[in-house]
């Protein structure tokens, strides 16, 4: 086991992690829809979220890695069957090539494991399937518009639950989206015939997870490999595989000063460090690089929480603060809101934490980042209400004034 003792060794681990996430280079996967396809394939998923104070999380995550990305590209990839929608550790878009690994959870749901709802209405589910089979794809909105009709099974709430149950257990897939409205169709009508639909063994699933996580994170913890997956057999198979790879010498362990242990490919620490630029990235709270909070704190000393779930009086940084990555360090967070009717981005709080960088360089990098971010939000002006530390407020406001 390698013990991390010096700051430069921790810096190396940070850069390995960020480079694996595609956050150190300007276009690691290419541009536009081609880059978006490669990005999802590499990072394994993008999480879907409904919060829309700024552009939604799945678009934001791809924007951070793919120049010229546009929100319409997600649905294009969905229609082209490059990706599919299902559950990862949360609702997500996933590479269609990984479809077979969703079958494990679908089989568990169909066999009685509870995801959202207990005691699913199987009669109603059968009727819904028959309706979709005969009449074509169905939106949940179609159920809502018919909820007053004198058809017992057509009551909206039970029908919506039945639709989601059919989706979670694999009988239905999301075939299309209209904004945030999903359209469901029979799996056999959505899934391309070329896709592997054989149920993987736990050993094969474990191998897929380990290889994927090493590819997209660079270093992984044993706990993180099965993050939020309620599957004891899978956890056991993953541990057995890690032990086997350690014995073979294809992976090795590194231990941080706080005792946390991570797994890396053997020799990863000897490879040249990825180069850095003075670039600042405004990331989504649900970005793949951030979602495992314990890992984030251990590697980057960045203690992050999404405060939209915290009572307003107890919030420290705001409703939906966005982490700020400068070079290879997380240096702050920004709480903002896109006012779409007026095309204005309001920065309610910009909080910069203690760092060793030149303030002028950080401000210049932030202004460049917020200029592109405004364009992504379809905003034409930006304002800053509050900054911490306060000494940054006036120079930041002066710099932002030129953008409005």
């Amino acid at each position: 086991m390698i013990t991390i003792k010096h700051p430069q060794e921790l810096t190396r681990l940070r850069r390995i992690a960020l480079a694996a996430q595609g956050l150190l280079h300007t276009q690691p996967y290419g541009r536009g829809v081609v880059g978006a396809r490669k990005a999802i394939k590499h990072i394994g998923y993008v999480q879907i979220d409904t919060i829309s104070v700024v552009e939604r999380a799945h678009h934001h995550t791809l924007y951070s890695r793919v120049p010229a990305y546009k929100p319409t590209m997600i649905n294009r990839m969905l229609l082209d069957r490059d990706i599919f929608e299902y559950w990862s550790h949360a609702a997500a878009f996933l590479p269609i090539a990984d479809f077979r690994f969703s079958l494990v959870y679908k089989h568990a749901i169909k066999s009685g494991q509870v995801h959202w709802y207990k005691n699913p209405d199987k009669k109603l589910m059968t009727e819904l399937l028959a309706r979709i089979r005969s009449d074509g794809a169905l939106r949940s909105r179609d159920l809502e518009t018919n909820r007053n009709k004198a058809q017992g099974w057509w009551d909206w709430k039970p029908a919506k639950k039945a639709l989601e149950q059919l989706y979670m257990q694999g009988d239905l897939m999301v075939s299309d989206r209209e904004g945030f409205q999903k359209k469901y169709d029979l799996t056999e009508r959505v899934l391309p015939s070329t896709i592997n639909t054989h149920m993987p063994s736990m050993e094969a699933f474990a191998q897929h997870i380990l290889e994927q996580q090493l590819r997209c994170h660079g270093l992984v913890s044993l706990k993180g490999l099965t993050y939020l997956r309620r599957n004891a057999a899978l956890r056991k198979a993953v541990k057995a595989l890690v032990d086997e790879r350690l014995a073979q010498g294809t992976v090795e362990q590194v231990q941080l000063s706080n005792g946390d242990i991570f797994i890396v490919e053997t020799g990863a620490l000897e490879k040249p460090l990825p180069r850095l630029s003075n670039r600042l990235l405004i990331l989504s709270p649900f970005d793949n690089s951030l979602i495992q909070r314990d890992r984030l704190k251990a590697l980057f000393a960045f203690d992050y929480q999404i405060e939209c779930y915290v009572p307003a009086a107890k919030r420290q940084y705001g409703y939906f603060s966005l982490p700020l990555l400068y070079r290879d360090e997380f240096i702050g967070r920004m709480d903002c809101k896109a006012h779409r009717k007026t095309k204005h981005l309001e920065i309610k709080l910009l909080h910069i934490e203690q760092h060793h960088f030149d303030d002028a360089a950080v401000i210049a990098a932030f202004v460049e980042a917020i200029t592109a971010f405004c364009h992504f939000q379809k905003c034409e002006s930006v304002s800053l209400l509050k900054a911490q530390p306060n000494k940054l407020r006036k120079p930041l406001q002066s710099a932002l004034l030129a953008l409005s």
Side-chain angles (χ1 to χ4, degrees), residues 363-376:
I363 290 173
F366 176 76
V367 170
E368 183 177 353
I370 203 68
T371 302
F373 192 71
C374 278
H375 180 71
F376 176 56

Side-chain angles (χ1 to χ4, degrees), residues 311-375:
K314 295 184 178 181
R315 290 176 192 150
Q316 184 177 1
Y317 302 108
Y319 176 78
F320 199 63
S321 65
L322 311 179
L324 306 178
L325 175 68
Y326 179 64
R327 293 176 64 84
D328 58 357
E329 296 183 30
F330 288 92
I331 64 163
R333 49 203 104 195
M334 175 180 72
D335 183 43
C336 62
K337 178 177 176 61
H339 297 275
R340 294 178 176 86
K341 288 185 179 179
T342 58
K343 297 184 178 181
H344 179 74
L345 183 71
E346 177 189 24
I347 303 174
K348 298 180 178 182
L349 171 64
L350 180 66
H351 175 83
I352 304 296
E353 301 184 1
Q354 287 187 350
H355 60 82
H356 54 83
F357 302 111
D358 177 68
D359 282 347
V362 170
I363 290 173
F366 176 76
V367 170
E368 183 177 353
I370 203 68
T371 302
F373 192 71
C374 278
H375 180 71

Side-chain angles (χ1 to χ4, degrees), residues 1-11 13 254-258 269:
M1 184 181 297
I2 301 168
T3 303
I4 303 299
K5 298 179 179 179
H6 305 293
Q8 58 267 33
E9 293 174 328
L10 184 59
T11 294
L13 289 180
V254 295
Q255 185 173 37
L256 306 188
S257 58
N258 69 349
L269 298 181

Side-chain angles (χ1 to χ4, degrees), residues 117 120-129 143 153 155-169 171-172:
Y117 311 115
D121 188 334
K122 294 185 178 180
K123 179 177 181 292
L124 179 52
M125 289 162 60
T126 299
E127 291 172 338
L128 270 172
L129 273 179
L143 302 177
W153 68 273
D155 181 67
W156 183 73
K157 287 185 178 179
K160 171 64 174 169
K161 290 180 179 180
L163 198 63
E164 283 294 311
Q165 181 71 18
L166 288 165
Y167 163 68
M168 288 306 303
Q169 69 183 35
D171 294 291
L172 299 178

Side-chain angles (χ1 to χ4, degrees), residues 26-94:
T26 54
Q27 45 182 315
Y29 312 110
R31 300 173 60 85
V33 70
V34 173
R37 288 190 191 107
K38 291 181 179 178
I40 291 185
K41 184 177 180 180
H42 179 84
I43 63 177
Y45 75 95
V46 290
Q47 184 171 338
I48 302 169
D49 192 72
T50 59
I51 296 173
S52 59
V53 290
V54 292
E55 189 59 78
R56 287 187 171 95
H58 40 291
H59 299 310
H60 193 163
T61 296
L62 289 172
Y63 158 80
S64 299
R65 293 162 173 80
V66 182
Y69 171 78
K70 297 179 181 179
T72 54
M73 292 176 183
I74 277 278
N75 206 52
R76 177 177 168 183
M77 290 187 289
L78 187 65
L79 291 172
D80 289 344
R81 306 304 182 230
D82 297 314
I83 60 176
F84 73 106
E85 187 171 333
Y86 194 60
W87 197 260
S88 179
H89 70 273
F93 292 111
L94 303 112

